[in-house]
């Protein structure tokens, strides 16, 4: 189950038909509208939904999570991206700190990387022992079966990216000051350990792709297609239905009772930087 690699993959990616932006945005809006309906069903029915996003660095997980959560109620749909464990957390049962972020009734938890860190980066980079890695692979199916048996809906997505496309995205991050934070020394190290990560992922799939919680692979060389495909699958995997909502209407404003706003010069306003840009761009501006 190794990832696609080599120049042939890059050639195929270039020849494949890209999803036009207008088509993408129209379908994304439709899917996001359905996600709002899904969340309302989850809230009213007291359902608990966990979605795990995994994959290589620069595979597009973050962008997909952003589109899933964009129009959801942040009080009920939370994205969890945990930092490296503290010294205290290192002494806990491995799954313990993830359990603290599992949803309650009516909630959605989106894991931007999850307990599968141990099967991937920790194992490949030597941050855990072989014994800890093996224990994880034995316990993970048991842990996930317990979640499902308790009524949690668990969906797991692996974003698959080719080595050629991953390198292109890394280079864009190097050149874009707004994206540099996304690129760490460990990300760059992953380039030299491509096959090690492939072997780790293959073993992870073999040991944790269980009937109660299957792995769903998202081809992500094309980010637009990946987002559309992933969200459409999520919606198809949850048996939600549109629930009737009480009609709402704006009330009429009551007549004024004599309130007067304090003088504006008594308050401190943010400078109008936007208007200064318009003036600078005006063809009538001299200089």
């Amino acid at each position: 189950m190794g990832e696609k690699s080599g120049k042939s993959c890059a050639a195929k990616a270039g020849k494949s038909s890209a999803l036009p932006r207008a088509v993408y945005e129209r379908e994304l809006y439709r899917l996001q509208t359905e996600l709002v309906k899904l969340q309302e069903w989850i809230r009213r029915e007291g359902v608990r939904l966990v979605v795990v996003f995994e994959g290589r660095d620069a595979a597009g997980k973050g962008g997909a999570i952003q589109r899933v959560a964009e129009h959801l109620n942040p009080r009920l749909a939370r994205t969890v991206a945990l930092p490296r464990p503290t010294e205290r957390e290192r002494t806990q049962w491995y799954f313990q700190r993830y359990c603290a972020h599992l949803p309650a009734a009516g909630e959605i938890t989106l894991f931007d990387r999850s307990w599968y860190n141990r099967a991937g980066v920790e194992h490949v980079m030597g941050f855990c022992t072989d014994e800890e890695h093996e224990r994880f692979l034995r316990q993970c199916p048991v842990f996930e079966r317990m979640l499902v048996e308790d009524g949690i809906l668990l969906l797991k997505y692996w974003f698959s990216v080719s080595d050629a496309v991953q390198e292109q995205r890394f280079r864009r991050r190097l050149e874009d000051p707004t994206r540099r934070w996304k690129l760490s020394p460990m990300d760059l190290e992953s380039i030299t350990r491509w096959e090690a990560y492939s072997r780790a992922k293959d073993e992870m799939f073999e040991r944790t792709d269980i009937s109660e919680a299957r792995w769903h692979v998202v081809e992500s060389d094309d980010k637009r297609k990946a987002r559309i495909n992933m969200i459409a699958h999520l919606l198809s995997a949850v048996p939600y239905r549109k629930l009737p909502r009480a009609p709402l209407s704006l009330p009429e404003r009551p007549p004024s009772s004599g309130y007067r706003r304090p003088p504006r010069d008594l308050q401190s306003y943010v400078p109008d930087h936007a208007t200064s840009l318009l003036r600078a761009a005006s063809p009538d501006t001299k200089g």
Side-chain angles (χ1 to χ4, degrees):
M1 284 192 181
E3 308 272 322
K4 302 172 292 182
S5 62
K7 295 181 179 179
S8 60
C9 174
K12 291 179 181 178
K15 292 179 180 178
S16 63
S17 56
L19 195 62
R21 177 172 291 277
V23 175
Y24 162 73
E25 292 181 348
R26 183 168 59 249
E27 179 61 8
L28 178 63
Y29 183 77
R30 186 189 72 81
L31 293 173
Q32 289 177 327
T33 301
E34 289 299 313
L35 284 171
V36 172
K37 298 175 186 176
L38 167 69
Q39 183 179 50
E40 180 61 16
W41 174 80
I42 286 175
R43 184 187 71 82
R44 290 206 210 175
E45 298 295 322
V47 174
R48 293 170 292 167
L49 174 62
V50 170
V51 187
V52 168
F53 294 80
E54 293 287 346
R56 293 181 185 269
D57 298 315
K61 301 179 298 298
I65 293 171
Q66 181 182 347
R67 272 64 181 188
V68 170
E70 188 172 8
H71 298 292
L72 300 183
N73 184 340
R75 296 186 181 90
L76 301 176
R78 294 176 294 112
T79 299
V80 176
L82 297 184
R84 65 180 61 184
T86 63
E87 289 302 316
R88 179 176 182 275
E89 288 173 332
R90 292 179 189 276
T91 67
Q92 297 174 340
W93 177 48
Y94 176 73
F95 294 94
Q96 188 169 336
R97 73 182 189 131
Y98 295 100
C99 290
H101 299 277
L102 293 174
E107 294 179 349
I108 302 171
T109 299
L110 308 173
F111 278 103
D112 185 353
R113 295 198 181 276
S114 64
W115 45 88
Y116 282 103
N117 276 334
R118 176 138 295 179
V121 63
E122 289 190 19
H123 174 53
V124 173
M125 300 299 295
F127 298 154
C128 68
T129 66
D130 290 341
E131 180 183 0
E132 289 171 330
H133 176 242
E134 175 61 28
R135 185 186 308 129
F136 168 83
L137 293 176
R138 289 199 313 269
Q139 291 185 351
C140 184
V142 179
F143 172 67
E144 292 182 352
R145 286 189 179 103
M146 290 172 64
L147 298 182
V148 174
E149 183 181 2
D150 201 61
I152 289 177
L153 298 180
L154 175 60
L155 293 171
K156 303 186 303 190
Y157 292 100
W158 176 270
F159 283 71
S160 177
V161 65
S162 66
D163 54 355
V165 172
Q166 183 194 55
E167 184 171 344
Q168 290 172 8
R169 292 174 182 174
F170 280 167
R171 291 189 184 281
R172 286 199 294 269
R173 290 179 180 184
L174 278 172
E175 298 165 359
D176 187 343
T178 67
R179 297 184 182 183
R180 281 295 300 272
W181 66 270
K182 293 184 175 183
L183 197 59
S184 69
M186 195 172 301
D187 294 332
L188 300 179
E189 180 73 17
S190 69
I191 295 177
T192 65
R193 303 194 185 213
W194 180 271
E195 290 190 1
Y197 273 104
S198 293
R199 293 188 185 96
K201 187 264 297 185
D202 292 346
E203 184 177 12
M204 180 187 78
F205 270 38
E206 181 180 352
R207 301 282 294 274
T208 65
D209 186 24
I210 58 177
S211 60
E212 296 87 346
R214 301 299 308 272
W215 276 109
H216 303 287
V217 178
V218 182
E219 295 285 357
S220 61
D221 276 2
D222 185 320
K223 287 186 177 182
R224 293 177 188 171
K225 288 183 177 179
R227 294 164 186 168
I228 294 298
N229 293 339
M230 179 265 145
I231 298 174
H233 181 273
L234 187 157
L235 290 167
S236 71
V238 180
Y240 76 100
R241 65 184 186 280
K242 181 180 179 180
L243 299 176
R245 302 187 63 134
L248 299 175
S249 60
L250 292 177
E252 293 186 7
R253 294 187 183 276
S256 173
S257 59
Y259 167 78
R260 290 185 179 276
R261 181 175 180 170
R264 290 179 177 269
D265 58 6
L266 296 180
Q267 299 172 338
S268 178
Y269 282 84
V270 172
D272 191 357
H273 178 64
T275 296
S276 70
L277 295 177
L278 291 174
R279 290 170 180 164
S282 173
D284 297 331
T285 304
K286 297 181 180 180

